[in-house]
Structures are given as C-alpha cells and as structure tokens.
Amino acid sequence: MNDRSIVHAPDAHRQGDWLDVYSPEGQLGPVAPRAQFFNFAAIRGIIYRQRWLVGTVIVLALIGGLIVTLLATPMYQANTKVSVKPFGQYVVEGQNVEQGYNPNQIYDFLATQAEIIKSRSIAETVATDLNLASRYDFVGKDVDEGRAPGMTDEQWLKAKQEIAVTALTNDVVVDVPTENWIIGIGFRSESPILAAEIANAYADAFVATGARNSVAGNQYALDYLKDQIDETRQRLSEAEQVANSYARNSGIILESSSSGEEGQAPSTLRSVNLSSINERVSAARAARIEAEQRWRAIQRLPAAELPEVQSSPVLQALVAERTSKLGQLVELRQRYNDDFPQIQNLLTQIRSLEAQIERSSNDVKATARSQFLVAQSQEQALEAELASLTGERLVEQDQQVELSALDREAQALRDQLKSLLDRFNQINSASTLDPGTLDKIDSALVPRSPFAPSIPRNMGLALVLGIALAAALAVLREVLDDRIRSLEDVEDKIGMPLLGHTPHVEDRDLELHNTKQFSSLMEAYSSIRSSIDFAMPRNRNVIQLTSSQAGEGKSTTAVILAELFAKLGRKTLLVDADLRRPSVANLMDIERPKIGLVEVLLGHVELHQAVVKGVHDNLEILPIGAIPPNPAELLASQEMHDFIERYRQEYSLIIFDSCPVLGLADATILANLVDGTVFVLEANRLSLGQARNAIRRLAQAGGNMMGVVLTKYRALEAGQSYGYQYGYYEYGREK
C-alpha cells in the first residue's frame, strides 16, 4: 500500500501551495514556501498573544517613570539671549578680516558660536569671574572631603577650579536658532538664583570673548601681513636679480622700443634682424622667379623673334639698312656677275650688317640670362643668412622662455606685494574699530518654577521605553515560540494541505454547538467533511483520524464527521481504534459495551453483534469493549487487515479514531492499512518540531497523508478578526 504516499488533494502539486509533500519512501520532501510579509495581521496577532506581557511591561515602565519623577531633585533653568551679527557693521575696509564663510553658511556659523559657548575656555572664564571654585553653593559643602592627602592649597584650588568648570560645561544649555540670529544661553541648577547669575555670566563672557577675538584677529592679521610683506620684498629682489643675470649671460638684448603685447614676450635684436632678413629673402625669391621665368621664355627662341629685338630702334635701323643693301644687290646682279667690285662691296656691307644684327640680338638674350643668374645668387646668399639667424633665434627662443618664466615670477611677486600693502593699509585703518557683532539683549531672570522633573515628559518617555521593551520581549517570545497558530502555518511550515479548521469552543458550550445545525463549529466541520470527500475516491473509503498528543480533538472530529457523512445518506462505520484510552462511547453518550473491536478482530463475535446502531441514521459505531494487553500487535495483525478488506465494500465510509502518534506505534501501524490519514492538530498547542515529527512517522510507515485539520483555532491569536473568520457561519441562524 505504499502507493498511497502521494497526496490525493485536488491541488496537491500546485506550485505555490505545496509541492511533493511526502515521497514514496516516506521522507519529507521539499516544500515551496510562500512569501511571508510582516503585515498588520501578523502584528495584531503578536499583540493579542502577548497582550499580558505587553501590558505588564508598559504598566511597570509607567510606574517606574512616576517613581523616578517624584524622587528627582527639582532643577531650575535661567535663560538669557545674545544677538549675533555675523557680518558686523563695517565703517572702513578691513573690518571684515574675520569673515571666512559663505553667506549660505550663516547657520553653520551660529552652530559654531554655540559650541564656543559650551567650550571649556568660556567655562573657565565664568568660573574665574564668579569665583565658583570657592563657593559652596555651587561646588557643594562636601567638596573638601575629596581633597587628597598632601595636596597643597594651590593644587586643591586648581582641582576645585576643574570641578567647577566640569559642572559648568555639563549644565549649560545653548539654543541654536534656525530662523533668526539670536542665541539663547541657559543654565540649570538646583538654585534658581545661582542659575540666573551663571547664565548672565555666560552671556557677558561670550560677548567679551567676541570683542577680544575681533581685536586679536586684526592684530594677528597685521603681524601676519608684515611678515608676508618683508618676505615678498626679499623674494622679489632675488627674482629680479636672477632674471637680469640670466638675460646678460644669454646675450638677450630687448629692443628699446618694444614692450611686448599682453601675453607675448618683448622683441629682441635677433628677432628684429630675422624679420628683416626674412622680408629680403622673400623679395629676392620673387625677383629670381621673375628673372628665371623671363629667361626660360626666351632661351630657345631665335634672336630675331625676341620682342626686345623687334622693338629695338637700333636693330630696326640695321635691318632696314640691310634690306636696302639687298635691294641694290639684286639690281646689280641683273646686270653684273658677283665678281663685279660694286657687288662685292655690297656683299661685304650686308655681311657686316647681319653680324651686327646677330650680335645685338645675342646681347639681349645674354642680358636676360645674366639677370637670372644674379637674382639666383642673391637669393642663395640671403637664404644662407636667414638659416644662420633662424638657428640663433631658435636658441634664443628657448632662452627667452626661461627668461619669461623668471619675469612672470618677478611680476607675480610685484602684484602680490602691492596686494599685501593695500590690505595692510586697510586693516591698519580698521584695527582700532570694534565691529560689535555680539550684543546681550536680555538678562536672565530668576526662574519661579522648575523645568525638571516634568511629569508629562517623563511619563511619555517611560511609555515609549515601555512600549519598546515590551515589543522587544514580545518579538523574542514569538521567535522562540514555534507553535502552529494560523492557517498559513499549516501549509507553509508543515507542508501539508489544510482540509479545514474549527473555531475554539469552550467545553461547556460544546454540546450547545453540536445541537445547532448552523453553528460555527458545525459549519466548520461541514467544510472539513467536504474537503475529505473530495480528497479521496469512493473506492478508497477507509480513513484514520489521529493527532500528535491526546486532547487535540481527534475523537470529537471523528464523531462529528461520521455523523455528517451519515446525514448525507452514506452508510458509515465509526470504529474506536484507540485501544488504550477509548472515548467514542463517551462522546456519543452511550454505555460502553462489553464487546467491541477487539472481540470482532479475535473472531469471538460477528460485527453485527458488536456495532451500536440507532444513534443516527446510516451510522454504526464499533466501540471498544475490553482493552487488550497488546494493542500494537493486535492492530498489526492479519485479522485487522482482513477486517478492513472484508467490510470495505459493505460500508460507504469507515472512520478509525486511533490513538495519538507520539510515543505510541498504534497510529503508524494503522496508517499503513487504511486508505488515508487525517492529521488533527490543535492550534496554539503543539510545536512545529513535534507536529513534523509525528507526520514524518506516519509517512515513513507508508501512510497516505490526506491533510491536516486545525482544531480550536483562535482567530485573534492568529491576527484575524473573529467576525471576519466566522461571521458567515451565522448565516442560517434565527434572529
């Protein structure tokens, strides 16, 4: 029957509810836990369950607060006010020497002033001004008892001064403003007169300290500026000497008319010469290019085709004369041959003219080539000079960078010296003026009533502390207490489906609830009956009801479920299988018979002779007659197995009310024989470990765990409203 180890609930494997509750081997399987949130219902449940603890702790805290308040010594507080003007009244420049904060930090400045008031330096001033170290009304009459042996009067006076200063710093109160510039100074004491006196002394000491700090600040600024001016002058002199020495050693000569534009170094002689040579190189290059282009243009042309030749008057005269001679030669050759003297003379003249023309044309080309060569030579010479000056200028630029750095350092020192001198003159003019940033506007009056102890404040504090302590103790108890309280705990912590739950009913009202058809108890059991009916098929109609311990309501649950199934017309057999402490007969209000389940199993009587009929229609009860000496062996016998199989078909449903699980083997033996086991669990009684141990034993024995019935459920202890949980049960109640 190990195949029954799978839960037959409708949603047994639905993710998010429960998953693989029990494996076939009977081991507790993994459970998908629900997301738990610390909600209002959980808080309400904790408060209700721990209500006595919470109430007791809060009451004790209030009583303690009242006792402390009544026993406390009355304390008086006197208050005075000081106006703080962070910016002062500036008559001349330099009075704002102490202003080292942003206007957006005014209230940070006021907070700083408050800390100054609470400082030991102010306390020492007040103690000295009022001679508090020697006043017994402040340090106490028993102060001399603390004098160490061998301490001199001077040492003891100093020790009492420290005692007075410590007492002042502990009792002074400073109110830091948030909407104005007025600081409140208060002092607390058992004597109202002493409180007012010390509060006024604190205000006077604070105002005097502000004035002294202003004068001291100005004097400190003057001394500091003097030192800075002397140091800056010395550094400026050294910087100027270094710059001049570097310029002389590097041969850097600045042009007298050049001061340099802003952000640029002044011009030197090398830079001026380089600029001039660069301009001349550009002009020579342009002339060379022009001459070269002219020469290239006429280099390969015949001399006669040159424009200069064609436009020259001398050459044109020679050409005209040659043309005239040639005409005469043509006329003479028509009459004479070339040996004629006149023709020879003309030929000689013509050759002479042609030589002159050729020579003049060649002179024009030679002149153009000479001009190109001269321009080229001039360009090369200037470029060589430019290259030489460029190299020298590059070296000079590196040197000039270093010189500029030295000049800038010297100029920065000049500007710094000027600024220091101007600031020194301003502060020197304002050093004797008091800016008046602190003013005492109200003197402290002798208080008429104590400010402490305050009963409302102390009781409120006691209430808060009591609630906090009670909450901590309640949470601690809840953490240490793992009892099953709510419906969610059944599925989330145990990992089994919840078949239903019954409300808590007092024993004296149990019979009354059983007689009402629409009572909350009966409606709850009707819901459980429906869950069981849907959880198992009709061919598996033998179930067992058990629990971890006695008194959890399993027998009551078995009896009521048997009655409800019988009312549906299903023939039901209720078997009292608790062979150690039978209770079914008592719950059914019938006399316990002499024969019962034991006699039937042993074959002494037939079933029909032992069952009790007539209590309800369709319901037969098999109680316990004689209690056997060996209950476990009897339940594990073949006779019990045969009994179940024999009467399975005769009844629509057989319900076994077995004994508890823990400490006994009866329920685990019977779990392996029946078709399903319903585990009855009382709310707020059993711990989680006990419940899981009992269910694990049943599962390991091969039982089919159908689910859990949570009995005696208290909605308020679970954090729910009783009316919300059970109001619908009263739907059919007569009004």
Side-chain angles (χ1 to χ4, degrees), residues 556-585:
T556 302
T557 302
V559 170
I560 296 177
L561 289 177
E563 293 176 349
L564 292 175
F565 276 108
K567 288 181 180 180
L568 293 178
R570 298 181 61 179
K571 187 178 181 181
T572 304
L573 175 63
L574 174 60
V575 181
D576 191 349
D578 190 346
L579 300 181
R580 302 175 188 273
R581 294 178 58 184
S583 58
V584 171

Side-chain angles (χ1 to χ4, degrees), residues 46-59 470 477:
I46 294 175
I47 294 175
Y48 182 80
R49 292 191 295 271
Q50 308 296 335
R51 58 190 181 278
W52 295 112
L53 172 65
V54 173
T56 301
V57 172
I58 292 176
V59 170
R477 289 191 64 185

Side-chain angles (χ1 to χ4, degrees), residues 74-87:
M75 296 291 293
Y76 296 86
Q77 177 174 328
N79 298 297
T80 182
K81 295 181 179 179
V82 175
S83 174
V84 179
K85 292 175 285 187
F87 300 107

Side-chain angles (χ1 to χ4, degrees), residues 307-333:
E308 292 84 352
V309 174
Q310 294 178 356
S311 60
S312 176
V314 176
L315 289 176
Q316 292 301 322
L318 292 174
V319 170
E321 185 178 359
R322 184 189 63 180
T323 303
S324 175
K325 296 295 183 182
L326 289 173
Q328 294 176 9
L329 179 61
V330 170
E331 291 179 358
L332 289 177
R333 280 181 174 176

